[in-house]
Amino acid sequence: MNLDNFRSAFRGGTRQNRFRVSGDIFTEAGGESDMTQITGSPNGNLLIKAAQFPPSTLGIIPVPFRGRIAKVVGDRQYMEWPIVIYDTTDATYRRFQEWSEAANRHVSNNQPFVWNDTKDVLTKWTVEHLSSKGDVQGANYDDAGTDVLKTVELVNCWPVEIGSIDLSYDAMDTVVEFPVTIAYDYFTVDSDSKAATTPNNDAAPSGNGSAI
């Protein structure tokens, strides 16, 4: 085993800054709207500066037996999902606030909508990890020819917290961004959704996401 063997196995690794996030925001006026509609740009999803593949944790049920503990698989739990968004002159921040307002009114303290997926208040969000090779090589291609390494879809999302925007006279060489924390019921993982044998994406999509 030598460095050449490691390079052959490692293949350059993957990059944290190659990702894409897409999702829908509920608005009372227009129902469910995706980020591109809200920003008025086909590149609206690029405004999401940071995200993550969310963790999930399996519980442990300890069962004692003759001085030992058998660890039985328990229930799965999902942590809230944080993202960071660049602020712009459009309505992105206000739309997230409207989504939160639809859950609970600031003044009346009531819930004006029935919160289930049939009312579009709960939405879906997707996180894609992209290859640094773009559309040159790879097995998983989307319709635009982008090499997608793995995909996670979060189901029944709603905003837990719309974070603060800090303003200051002495702030220099910075752009405004704000965090959003999103709750969801569960996610699905699809690491082989768009298999292709050539960079031209001639092969038909295969594979289905599995619920986690």
Side-chain angles (χ1 to χ4, degrees), residues 18-19 39 47 50 106 189 201:
R18 300 296 199 276
F19 70 94
T39 60
L47 296 177
H106 287 286
V189 180
N201 197 23

Side-chain angles (χ1 to χ4, degrees), residues 106-211:
H106 287 286
V107 177
S108 62
N109 191 30
N110 65 1
Q111 189 178 88
F113 292 90
V114 178
W115 277 66
N116 57 53
D117 55 357
T118 62
K119 297 291 290 184
D120 292 333
V121 181
L122 304 178
T123 68
K124 292 182 179 180
W125 283 70
T126 300
V127 189
E128 297 171 300
H129 192 192
L130 308 179
S131 169
S132 60
K133 299 175 182 178
D135 58 0
V136 178
Q137 296 181 10
N140 305 321
Y141 287 85
D142 63 6
D143 295 334
T146 302
D147 190 4
V148 180
L149 300 177
K150 44 191 171 288
T151 302
V152 168
E153 183 178 68
L154 288 70
V155 181
N156 295 335
C157 300
W158 57 276
V160 175
E161 179 182 18
I162 314 299
S164 62
I165 291 181
D166 297 326
L167 304 174
S168 175
Y169 277 149
D170 59 6
M172 298 180 64
D173 299 327
T174 59
V175 295
V176 174
E177 58 190 44
F178 63 95
V180 175
T181 302
I182 293 177
Y184 58 97
D185 288 345
Y186 63 92
F187 61 73
T188 60
V189 180
D190 190 353
S191 59
D192 190 24
S193 61
K194 304 244 181 193
T197 56
T198 68
N200 293 326
N201 197 23
D202 293 329
S206 63
N208 294 316
S210 56

Side-chain angles (χ1 to χ4, degrees), residues 21-25 48 81 96 99 123-126 153-154 157:
V21 176
S22 58
D24 296 327
I25 300 174
I48 298 178
W81 181 57
F96 274 100
W99 193 11
T123 68
K124 292 182 179 180
W125 283 70
T126 300
E153 183 178 68
L154 288 70
C157 300

